[in-house]
Amino acid sequence: RTLSGGSGGGSGGSAMALPEEPVPTIIPSCPLPGKICDVVRSERPRSCCGMAMAGLRTAKYQLPEWHRRNTGVYYQAFTASEQAERDRAESQQLIKHAAASAQRAQEYSKSTLDQRLQDIHFWRMELQKEIMELDAETNMLAAQKLRLERALDATEVPYAVVLDNLECRDRRQPPDLVTDEVERELLKEADLIRDIRDLLKRTIIQATTQIRSNRIAKENCELDWSDKVETYHIDDKCISYCNDSTNVQSHPSSVKFEENASTPKTWAQFSHDNISFGEQEKLASVQLRSLINNIIHDASEDLRMQRAAVNEAFDAHCRQLDEAKYKLERHLEHILKDIKDEEDNIMSLKKAIKDKEAHLKVAQTRLYDRSFRPNIELCRDEPQFRLVSEVEELAVFLEALKRKLMESEQNLKNLEETRMKLEKEIAVKANSIFIDRQKCMGNRVRYPVDLEVASYK
C-alpha cells in the first residue's frame, strides 16, 4: 500500500514525468522457528542415528507457518499486479495527453513561424527597395562629383594662362610697365578662377562626404537585409521540420533566451530606423545634385563672361620657357641613358644570381647525397668541410648579389620616377610655350573654356 500511494503521487505531480518502475515488495527475513523436541533419555536409545534424526526435525516449518507464508506470497502478487495495472492506465492517459499537447504546441509554433516569415519578408523587401534606390542615387551623385572634378581640372589651364600673362606683364620694362585696363581684367579673371576652384573643391568634399553617408546608410540596410535573408532561411528551414525529419537532434541547452536578444518592437524599429536614415540621406543627396548643377552652370557663365572681357595678347617670357624646356630635354636624355645602363646592370646581377644558385644547388645536392653514407662512412672528412664552406660562401655571395640587385632596382625605380617627372615638366613647359605663343599672342579668344561642357568630357 505504501508503494502504491507513492507512485500515484509521483504521477500526479508532473504530467511529463514517466511513471517509475514498481519496486517489488520486500518482506523482511526472519529466522525459521527453531523448535527443539525434547527426547526423554530413558525412552530413546542412545545412538548417533537418533541424534541425527532429532536435528533434522528442528529445520522444518510448522503447518500454520506454511499457510501464512503462502498467503503472504499471494497477497504480494495481487498487490504488485494491481499496482502495475494502475500504472499502465496512468501511463496510457499520460501518453495521450502528452501527444495531444505536443501536437497543439507544434502546430502553434509552426503558425507563429509562418507569421514571422511574412514579417521578415515584408521588411526584407522594403530594405531591398531602399538599397536599390540608395545605390542608384549614390551612382548619380558620384557622376556629379566626377563632373565637379573634371570642371576643377578644366580650370587649371585658364588659371595657368592668367598667371603667366600677369607674370609676363610684370617683367615689362618702363615706361610700358603700367596698370592698364587689360591688367585689371586679368586680375579680375584670376580672382574669379580662384574663387571658382575653391567653390568646386568645397563642393567636391561635400559630395564625397554625402557619398560616404549614402554608402553607410546602404551598408546598414544591406547588413540588415543580409541578416533577414539568413533569418528567413533559418525560419523557413525550422518550419519544414517535422517529427519524421532525419536532421533533428536533441539540444537541451537551447531552451533559453539570449541576453542580447531583441524584442519584436525593437526588431521592427531597427529596420524602420535604417530605412528612415536611408531616406534622409537620399533626400540630401538629391538636393546636393541640384546644387552641383547650379554651381557648374553659374561658374561656367561667369568664366565665359570674364574671358570675353580679356582680348589682348603679350610677347614675353617665351625665350626662358624655351631654354628651360631645352635643359629639361637634355636632362631627360641623360636619365634615359642612365636607365639603359641600370637595366643592363640589373640583367647582369640577375644572371650572376642565377649562376650562383646553380652552384649552390650542386653543393647542397652533394651534401644531401653524402648524408646517406652508411654507418662509419658518415665521416666529417675534408670534402664534407669543403662542401659546407662552399655553401656558406655561396650564400654570402648570393645575399650580397641580391642586396645589390635590390639597390639597383630601387635606383632604376628612382630613375623612372625622375624620367616621368622630367617628361611631365617638359610637357608643362611645352604647354606653357603653346599658351604664351598661340593663346597669349593673338589666339587667346580662340581657346573656349566651358566648365559645363568640360564636366561631361
Side-chain angles (χ1 to χ4, degrees):
R1 294 177 183 177
T2 302
L3 292 174
S4 175
S7 175
S11 300
S14 176
M16 297 302 296
L18 297 175
E20 298 180 356
E21 182 180 358
V23 181
T25 305
I26 301 174
I27 300 176
S29 61
C30 60
L32 296 176
K35 186 176 181 180
I36 302 174
C37 299
D38 297 331
V39 180
V40 182
R41 296 190 179 208
S42 60
E43 296 179 358
R44 296 289 183 181
R46 297 182 179 179
S47 64
C48 62
C49 181
M51 293 301 293
M53 293 298 292
L56 183 61
R57 290 180 61 191
T58 57
K60 293 183 179 179
Y61 288 98
Q62 297 297 322
L63 187 60
E65 292 175 346
W66 180 77
H67 286 294
R68 283 196 304 271
R69 179 174 176 80
N70 289 339
T71 303
V73 171
Y74 300 154
Y75 179 77
Q76 181 181 355
F78 175 77
T79 303
S81 177
E82 185 182 22
Q83 179 64 34
E85 183 178 358
R86 191 161 49 247
D87 288 345
R88 286 195 300 273
E90 292 176 356
S91 299
Q92 292 299 321
Q93 183 179 2
L94 179 60
I95 289 171
K96 293 180 180 179
H97 177 71
S101 177
Q103 184 65 27
R104 286 194 303 271
Q106 190 177 84
E107 292 296 331
Y108 183 69
S109 299
K110 188 174 181 180
S111 64
T112 56
L113 281 173
D114 183 66
Q115 180 62 40
R116 185 63 172 176
L117 285 176
Q118 297 178 14
D119 296 341
I120 293 173
H121 178 72
F122 170 77
W123 285 111
R124 185 182 65 177
M125 298 304 296
E126 292 295 321
L127 288 168
Q128 185 174 355
K129 177 183 176 183
E130 187 65 25
I131 289 169
M132 295 175 64
E133 292 178 355
L134 278 172
D135 185 60
E137 177 59 34
T138 303
N139 291 335
M140 289 189 289
L141 183 58
Q144 292 291 80
K145 175 176 172 287
L146 184 60
R147 288 187 62 200
L148 287 171
E149 293 172 348
R150 289 171 176 171
L152 179 62
D153 294 338
T155 60
E156 292 180 357
V157 174
Y159 189 63
V161 169
V162 172
L163 294 180
D164 184 69
N165 290 341
L166 289 172
E167 184 180 355
C168 291
R169 290 179 63 82
D170 287 339
R171 288 193 290 270
R172 290 177 297 168
Q173 298 296 324
D176 293 337
L177 189 60
V178 295
T179 305
D180 54 6
E181 184 65 22
V182 174
E183 186 172 345
R184 286 192 291 269
E185 293 296 333
L186 285 172
L187 291 174
K188 287 172 61 177
E189 187 176 21
D191 293 337
L192 176 62
I193 294 176
R194 277 194 294 266
D195 293 341
I196 290 174
R197 287 176 62 83
D198 292 339
L199 178 60
L200 291 176
K201 288 179 180 178
R202 292 195 303 269
T203 311
I204 287 173
I205 294 174
Q206 187 177 358
T208 302
T209 303
Q210 186 61 49
I211 288 174
R212 186 182 300 112
S213 299
N214 289 356
R215 288 173 177 170
I216 290 174
K218 178 188 172 186
E219 182 179 357
N220 292 338
C221 291
E222 285 176 341
L223 291 174
D224 194 4
W225 177 85
S226 177
D227 292 341
K228 283 179 170 49
V229 170
E230 183 177 358
T231 304
Y232 188 90
H233 291 323
I234 291 174
D235 285 351
D236 187 57
K237 181 175 68 172
C238 291
I239 205 173
S240 65
Y241 287 148
C242 62
N243 296 334
D244 298 331
S245 299
T246 59
N247 53 346
V248 294
Q249 297 179 359
S250 177
H251 300 281
S253 60
S254 63
V255 188
K256 63 178 181 180
F257 289 101
E258 299 293 339
E259 295 181 358
N260 58 346
S262 61
T263 63
K265 183 178 180 180
T266 58
W267 173 80
Q269 187 65 36
F270 181 77
S271 298
H272 179 272
D273 292 342
N274 287 334
I275 295 175
S276 177
F277 178 67
E279 289 291 334
Q280 295 175 3
E281 297 300 332
K282 187 169 60 178
L283 178 61
S285 179
V286 171
Q287 295 175 351
L288 181 58
R289 284 195 294 111
S290 176
L291 177 63
I292 290 173
N293 280 329
N294 295 333
I295 288 175
I296 294 177
H297 176 74
D298 295 342
S300 179
E301 289 296 324
D302 293 341
L303 190 60
R304 186 184 300 110
M305 292 176 61
Q306 184 60 33
R307 187 179 66 251
V310 183
N311 17 344
E312 288 191 15
F314 305 93
D315 185 19
H317 199 52
C318 289
R319 288 187 300 272
Q320 293 181 359
L321 289 174
D322 287 335
E323 184 180 356
K325 181 174 177 290
Y326 175 75
K327 290 181 179 180
L328 288 172
E329 288 174 348
R330 295 290 296 173
H331 282 292
L332 179 60
E333 292 177 359
H334 182 68
I335 289 296
L336 290 175
K337 182 178 178 300
D338 290 340
I339 289 174
K340 178 64 171 57
D341 295 339
E342 197 65 40
E343 288 176 347
D344 294 338
N345 184 41
I346 289 174
M347 291 180 62
S348 299
L349 287 172
K350 288 183 177 179
K351 185 177 183 303
I353 290 173
K354 185 176 180 181
D355 294 340
K356 296 302 178 293
E357 287 178 346
H359 285 281
L360 182 62
K361 289 179 181 179
V362 171
Q364 288 177 345
T365 304
R366 287 172 177 173
L367 284 172
Y368 177 76
D369 290 344
R370 285 176 60 84
S371 65
F372 290 99
R373 290 174 293 169
N375 302 325
I376 196 65
E377 295 300 326
L378 190 62
C379 178
R380 298 180 182 178
D381 50 7
E382 183 62 24
Q384 187 75 9
F385 286 108
R386 187 66 199 96
L387 286 171
V388 172
S389 176
E390 181 183 359
V391 169
E392 293 175 352
E393 291 176 1
L394 290 173
V396 171
F397 281 122
L398 277 173
E399 184 65 25
L401 288 171
K402 290 179 180 179
R403 187 163 53 251
K404 183 58 67 176
L405 177 62
M406 292 178 61
E407 294 175 0
S408 298
E409 289 176 346
Q410 183 62 38
N411 291 335
L412 180 60
K413 182 179 179 181
N414 295 336
L415 289 172
E416 290 288 348
E417 291 178 356
T418 304
R419 179 186 64 82
M420 294 177 63
K421 291 179 181 178
L422 288 174
E423 290 176 348
K424 183 177 180 181
E425 289 297 326
I426 291 173
V428 170
K429 294 296 181 296
N431 185 58
S432 299
I433 293 173
F434 175 79
I435 291 174
D436 284 346
R437 287 180 175 171
Q438 303 298 328
K439 304 298 182 181
C440 295
M441 298 172 67
N443 296 323
R444 177 178 173 84
V445 294
R446 298 178 59 184
Y447 70 96
V449 178
D450 192 336
L451 296 183
E452 199 165 8
V453 174
S455 64
Y456 286 105
K457 293 182 179 180

